[in-house]
Amino acid sequence: MSQWMTLLQKEMLEMWRNFKWIWVPITFILLGVKEPITSYYMPQILDAVGGLPEGAVINIPTPTAAEVLISGLSQYTTLGVLIIVLTTMGIIAAERKSGVAAMILVKPVSFHSFVTAKWAGSMILMWLSFFIGYLSTWYYTGLLFEWIPFSEFFQSFFFYALWLTVILTVTVFFSASLMAPGMSGFISLAVAIIISLVSSTLSNWLEWSPAQLTTYANEILMDKEIPDSTLPASLLAAVCIILLLYFSVFIFRKKELAA
Amino acid sequence: MEELAKYAPILAPILIIQLILFIVAIIDLVRIEKTNGPKWLWALIILFINIIGPILYFVVGRRSN
């Protein structure tokens, strides 16, 4: 256990050194803040941009606070996912390429703790950044529109973060099983997109799909209650995370021993 | 002026955050030994592309080893 903690600390230190602890939260804040502000100032923006014929009247209904939060959240499923994948795709593949992994693994460090410490480090970064970013979305929505109860904010945060964790774990898995960071990033993005596309088109049959967690988080904000299928979906997400981690350790060990 | 005073409390934190990101990127670019691609190009990207520039630098420009 203490060995695992040391590895985690090393991981944290490394993320400090390459400024991930600064730029990932800031990017998430900027992503999250964009939505409430642009929807609040939309009439002014249209005025300033101009180009409308004289006398044209555009009535944009003011969105409700829940709608603003939902569209703010949807930023994280597109650009947020992209940033998560880009920052984690190299964590194992790049270290193996540069030989750092081999240097650590000659010491009596188990493959298991090597991979899970890396995963845990990037998961902490992701959860904290997403929390700060979403908190700023919530704060600005409250400031400019209406305050959403904190419990609903927190529930929707949790289920969204669970889905983002699944994507993160998929990225770690491909990073461990493929040699090239770019390749693993590309495949993880493709997997994330395919899963969410399939589960949103077949949403009636795939109620338990982890990608549906984002839809359920939106429903929590809209209807103020947790949908029934949230429990199986989150359980499946947890199972996916554990299985993917197990297989990434397994494949990584096999590849590293063969090399 | 009155307009500005109305928007300032809302937009100021964002500008500050953006400035932090910009400064961190510049400091890192000055101190780093080698980037992915020519260094002067990254300086231009960070300087002239708002928000996206520094983020792009951190994602693509930094060489991890």
Side-chain angles (χ1 to χ4, degrees):
Chain A
M1 201 61 207
S2 71
Q3 187 191 49
W4 191 83
M5 283 312 286
T6 317
L7 281 173
L8 185 63
Q9 271 168 11
K10 173 226 157 223
E11 207 50 39
M12 292 292 176
L13 187 69
E14 197 185 329
M15 287 196 286
W16 258 117
R17 294 253 167 91
N18 53 27
F19 296 102
K20 270 189 189 167
W21 272 114
I22 296 176
W23 73 264
V24 178
I26 287 184
T27 315
F28 272 59
I29 291 173
L30 291 174
L31 262 184
V33 154
K34 200 189 99 198
E35 197 58 41
I37 288 184
T38 46
S39 38
Y40 184 74
Y41 288 119
M42 197 38 106
Q44 280 94 323
I45 292 172
L46 283 180
D47 262 359
V49 173
L52 292 175
E54 198 63 37
V57 178
I58 305 177
N59 264 328
I60 304 168
T62 320
T64 63
E67 280 168 3
V68 175
L69 263 191
I70 288 171
S71 52
L73 272 178
S74 71
Q75 298 283 320
Y76 294 111
T77 46
T78 49
L79 289 169
V81 165
L82 188 69
I83 288 168
I84 290 171
V85 169
L86 286 175
T87 48
T88 45
M89 68 187 186
I91 59 170
I92 293 174
E95 289 226 341
R96 196 164 52 188
K97 226 175 172 180
S98 65
V100 176
M103 229 150 72
I104 291 171
L105 288 167
V106 283
K107 300 187 178 75
V109 170
S110 67
F111 291 91
H112 176 77
S113 43
F114 180 75
V115 174
T116 48
K118 282 198 159 302
W119 171 79
S122 47
M123 194 182 82
I124 293 169
L125 174 74
M126 193 275 288
W127 275 68
L128 274 180
S129 320
F130 179 50
F131 183 73
I132 296 171
Y134 188 34
L135 193 70
S136 58
T137 318
W138 175 78
Y139 178 71
Y140 269 86
T141 312
L143 216 60
L144 300 171
F145 296 89
E146 274 166 52
W147 292 99
I148 297 264
F150 199 74
S151 59
E152 280 162 31
F153 158 76
F154 202 77
Q155 283 162 356
S156 57
F157 161 74
F158 179 77
F159 292 121
Y160 237 84
L162 203 58
W163 164 236
L164 292 182
T165 313
V166 174
I167 294 175
L168 182 103
T169 318
V170 169
T171 318
V172 171
F173 171 73
F174 282 115
S175 188
S177 47
L178 298 169
M179 273 293 184
M183 198 60 189
S184 56
F186 178 74
I187 293 180
S188 330
L189 266 186
V191 167
I193 291 169
I194 289 170
I195 293 176
S196 27
L197 267 185
V198 167
S199 12
S200 61
T201 43
L202 303 177
S203 55
N204 287 337
W205 292 290
L206 298 175
E207 279 167 344
W208 35 262
S209 159
Q212 292 286 79
L213 282 172
T214 56
T215 322
Y216 299 146
N218 295 348
E219 275 173 35
I220 290 171
L221 289 172
M222 283 303 248
D223 310 333
K224 320 233 174 293
E225 56 186 35
I226 302 180
D228 297 332
S229 319
T230 313
L231 186 67
S234 13
L235 281 180
L236 189 69
V239 170
C240 281
I241 291 169
I242 293 168
L243 276 183
L244 278 171
L245 265 185
Y246 177 78
F247 279 115
S248 30
V249 173
F250 181 75
I251 290 176
F252 182 61
R253 178 188 284 140
K254 221 171 158 186
K255 285 213 159 180
E256 202 56 40
L257 288 181
Chain B
M1 204 54 220
E2 204 182 300
E3 287 276 282
L4 199 68
K6 207 171 69 187
Y7 295 145
I10 293 167
L11 297 181
I14 300 164
L15 290 180
I16 291 170
I17 283 177
Q18 210 181 311
L19 200 68
I20 295 173
L21 190 68
F22 173 76
I23 291 171
V24 170
I26 288 289
I27 291 175
D28 186 50
L29 183 69
V30 170
R31 288 196 352 202
I32 203 167
E33 210 169 289
K34 226 176 168 196
T35 50
N36 222 347
K39 215 168 170 175
W40 58 269
L41 187 69
W42 281 114
L44 287 185
I45 290 173
I46 294 171
L47 282 175
F48 291 111
I49 306 177
N50 209 357
I51 307 181
I52 316 275
I55 295 174
L56 257 184
Y57 166 69
F58 280 118
V59 173
V60 189
R62 282 185 60 96
R63 214 178 274 234
S64 49
N65 44 322

